[in-house]
Amino acid sequence: RLFLSMADLSKPRLGWVGTGVMGRSMCGHCLRAGYEVTIFNRTPAKMAPLISMGARAASSPKEVAEHSDIIFSIVGFPRDVREVYFGEQGIMAGARSGSILVDCTTTEPTLAKEIYAAAQAHSISALDAPVSGGDVGAREARLTFMVGGDRAVYDRVLPILQFMGKCFNYMGGAGSGQHTKMVNQINIASIMVGVVEGLVYAYKAGLNMEDTIRAIAPGAAGSWSLNNYGPRILSRNFDPGFFVEHFIKDMGICLSECAKMRIQLPGLELSHRLYCQLREMGHGNLGTHSLILAFERMNDLTIPAQQLTVLGQPPAPAPSTTAAPAGK
């Protein structure tokens, strides 16, 4: 088949590569919507919750592609994306003409374009569709999608994306989704620094930290990061919604793209240095809000765990994993 028919798209067979913090929830929504899904994860145990929901386990990304019409992927690093797509047992080795590939990993725009070109050469369609919203957004099906590729392909996949998210943005040709995600990460990098600096200041000033968050959140200082990660920081719950290691990867991609564009972003550069220091402290597998630990060290203090009342307890974190990313 050269193209999927509309009948096929009413209930296409889905494939899913990467069932970590983000992928597990995203794939779960597709299973609940009644789709037939074949899955692969390099750590087999990570597939168990989805298998119990009816997913079929495959032994490789290639096998996933062989049994699927639309293949989603969300893994960790650009090297993982390259292996998943172009390896001997990769998606491209098993995908058929007419298949659609949707990579939700945050990766290099140039790699997204490379996947798109390779897919086109085999009458396969490809979208780069990174997401934002973290583990909470994935669990609650409230993710934001930033998508690059052919508009017609985006329109055909959108009904499936709608089971996983609340905000959908077609950004242009191949690589545009990844460039948009870079803008997202640049903003988050500086916002997170502001959040933890503000909390350190509040602590040293003797303020009630929960009351402080409640006071500033509705105004211009409010942000998703403050509202969602502030309570976790106060509870000293640093389980990952998004890994420090993966955020450093994203900022590295941003800085590489900045070099190509010949632009300087000093806020991004500072955030990157601070997160690298956090990784050197041994916290690469904690959540990005654990940046507070680096600020505690540089200021020779430890903020004790707070018993939250008005803000309530933060959402239950997804279990820690190194097999797949937590996105964004």
Side-chain angles (χ1 to χ4, degrees), residues 191-305:
I191 288 171
M192 190 61 72
V193 172
V195 167
V196 300
E197 285 187 335
L199 292 178
V200 168
Y201 183 95
Y203 174 72
K204 289 297 289 184
L207 297 175
N208 179 294
M209 298 179 71
E210 182 181 9
D211 287 348
T212 301
I213 291 178
R214 183 164 50 86
I216 70 173
S223 68
W224 187 97
S225 295
L226 179 66
N227 292 334
N228 287 273
Y229 287 139
R232 293 194 192 190
I233 291 171
L234 298 192
S235 297
R236 298 196 76 78
N237 172 3
F238 300 122
D239 288 346
F242 186 49
F243 290 108
V244 166
E245 194 71 55
H246 291 153
F247 195 32
I248 292 172
K249 174 262 296 184
D250 291 356
M251 288 187 284
I253 294 172
C254 289
L255 291 169
S256 176
E257 293 299 319
C258 287
K260 295 174 186 175
M261 298 175 188
R262 298 185 179 181
I263 57 175
Q264 295 184 9
L265 301 181
L268 174 62
E269 292 171 0
L270 172 61
S271 298
H272 185 253
R273 288 197 300 271
L274 290 169
Y275 272 101
C276 285
Q277 291 174 15
L278 183 62
R279 179 176 60 185
E280 290 168 4
M281 292 168 60
H283 301 315
N285 286 327
L286 295 183
T288 51
H289 55 296
S290 67
L291 182 63
I292 192 79
L293 300 175
F295 279 79
E296 288 181 341
R297 171 182 271 192
M298 71 176 70
N299 290 289
D300 193 26
L301 58 84
T302 300
I303 300 172

Side-chain angles (χ1 to χ4, degrees), residues 2 62 74-75 103 109 111 158 168 175 180 198 226 244 260 281:
L2 292 179
K62 177 184 177 183
I74 183 165
V75 293
D103 184 29
L111 180 53
L158 181 58
F168 312 93
T180 307
L226 179 66
V244 166
K260 295 174 186 175
M281 292 168 60

Side-chain angles (χ1 to χ4, degrees), residues 18-21 23-25 27 39-52 243 318-324:
T19 59
V21 172
R24 180 173 62 250
S25 294
C27 182
I39 63 174
F40 171 80
N41 196 80
R42 63 189 179 189
T43 304
K46 305 291 184 184
M47 295 189 286
L50 296 172
I51 293 172
S52 70
F243 290 108
S320 177
T321 174
T322 57

